Amino acid sequence: MKVFCFYILMLCVQIAFAQKTFIFPKIKTQGTSVEQFTPANWMIIDQVSGDLNNDGSADLAVVFEYNKPVDETRVYGDNSSAIIKETQKPRILAIFFKNKSTGVLSLSTQNNDFILRSEEGGKLGDPLQQIAIKDQQLYLRFQGGSEWRWELGYTFKFENKDWFLTSVINLYFNQNSGDMTERVYDFKTRELFTTVGNLHRRDIANRRTSEVLYFSELRTFRTFKKPWAWEIMPNVYL
């Protein structure tokens, strides 16, 4: 009986350990250099500086990556259910505003989900292509696939004390034939522009249409968890 009870106890411990959720560190709220914000066992894989809140100072956006793979449960297909378990290196997006007079950087937001991981790009490898700052907006670009490829570009802007999604570009194309569908979403004007045709012969082979874009409210980093997690239209995901 004692042996049986010990076996059950060890089994429970193993299950609990296996189900342990990875705990993300909390990024420091203030500092003067990106090195001060980098948590132990994490590294900087991309960073960009530029004015994000229209005060004339060089703000900072950084992507950190953990130094080893762990089990993560990632969202795909909707914005609430975590449905796919993957073993990969977690990533963090952190955005800092710089005080023009003191040079102090203050954390505006930390997001542990939105940046795609290195294993989420398919045969093309790491899907993270670019982070950029232009016109007080943050641009995030991803791509992946194989013969059929996809490209996703997201633009966020800081307004009313939050980070709002302002536009998305979604391109899906065949690398060999050039057949493509491109959708450009403008959430400010509530317009959707769709181009269907050929990537290699854009001037003569493509058909472009526009329509009203329907959604309930503007998404933020908080309400739009990650790429492929918003079914904006039936069977169309951003």
Side-chain angles (χ1 to χ4, degrees):
M1 183 67 179
K2 290 182 178 180
V3 174
F4 177 75
C5 291
F6 177 77
Y7 173 79
I8 294 298
L9 176 62
M10 291 301 297
L11 180 62
C12 292
V13 170
Q14 290 177 0
I15 292 174
F17 180 80
Q19 293 178 341
K20 184 178 180 180
T21 302
F22 178 77
I23 300 176
F24 284 84
K26 291 184 178 180
I27 303 298
K28 285 182 59 178
T29 57
Q30 285 193 328
T32 56
S33 69
V34 67
E35 289 76 19
Q36 295 177 1
F37 295 109
T38 306
N41 300 318
W42 290 74
M43 63 180 294
I44 301 165
I45 62 170
D46 208 345
Q47 62 178 308
V48 64
S49 61
D51 189 3
L52 284 167
N53 56 354
N54 200 27
D55 66 353
S57 60
D59 304 311
L60 182 67
V62 186
V63 177
F64 299 103
E65 184 178 71
Y66 194 52
N67 65 356
K68 61 182 179 181
V70 301
D71 289 340
E72 279 195 292
T73 305
R74 299 281 282 165
V75 167
Y76 289 93
D78 62 53
N79 204 42
S80 59
S81 300
I83 58 174
I84 294 182
K85 183 178 180 181
E86 297 175 331
T87 302
Q88 54 200 351
K89 296 179 180 180
R91 289 176 170 177
I92 294 173
L93 171 67
I95 304 174
F96 306 90
F97 289 145
K98 186 175 184 179
N99 185 298
K100 195 172 184 178
S101 59
T102 66
V104 172
L105 293 162
S106 298
L107 181 66
S108 171
T109 190
Q110 173 182 342
N111 185 285
N112 302 331
D113 298 300
F114 201 86
I115 300 297
L116 292 178
R117 301 351 185 188
S118 62
E119 304 303 312
E120 294 180 320
K123 291 186 177 180
L124 287 184
D126 194 336
L128 178 60
Q129 294 299 300
Q130 182 187 38
I131 61 172
I133 295 174
K134 182 180 178 182
D135 299 327
Q136 288 85 53
Q137 297 184 98
L138 178 66
Y139 293 78
L140 302 172
R141 299 291 183 264
F142 307 96
Q143 72 173 18
S146 182
E147 179 182 349
W148 280 97
R149 300 185 180 184
W150 52 264
E151 294 182 4
L152 284 169
Y154 302 90
T155 304
F156 287 87
K157 187 175 179 61
F158 186 75
E159 294 179 316
N160 300 319
K161 300 181 179 181
D162 207 348
W163 287 93
F164 290 93
L165 181 69
T166 58
S167 65
V168 174
I169 297 176
N170 184 353
L171 174 63
Y172 183 63
F173 66 97
N174 186 287
Q175 176 65 16
N176 296 321
S177 69
D179 292 341
M180 71 156 203
T181 299
E182 180 185 63
R183 293 185 175 94
V184 179
Y185 302 81
D186 188 327
F187 294 102
K188 288 291 189 179
T189 63
R190 290 181 175 264
E191 291 179 289
L192 167 60
F193 302 96
T194 303
T195 302
V196 177
N198 193 282
L199 188 67
H200 308 316
R201 296 178 292 145
R202 281 179 174 264
D203 294 338
I204 61 174
N206 294 344
R207 179 174 57 87
R208 190 170 188 261
T209 59
S210 64
E211 58 188 289
V212 176
L213 183 58
Y214 294 98
F215 58 94
S216 57
E217 60 183 11
L218 290 173
R219 296 293 178 103
T220 67
F221 278 126
R222 179 177 52 82
T223 58
F224 183 16
K225 196 165 187 178
K226 63 174 288 295
W228 308 123
W230 183 8
E231 189 177 13
I232 184 70
M233 298 183 295
N235 299 316
V236 177
Y237 294 89
L238 296 181

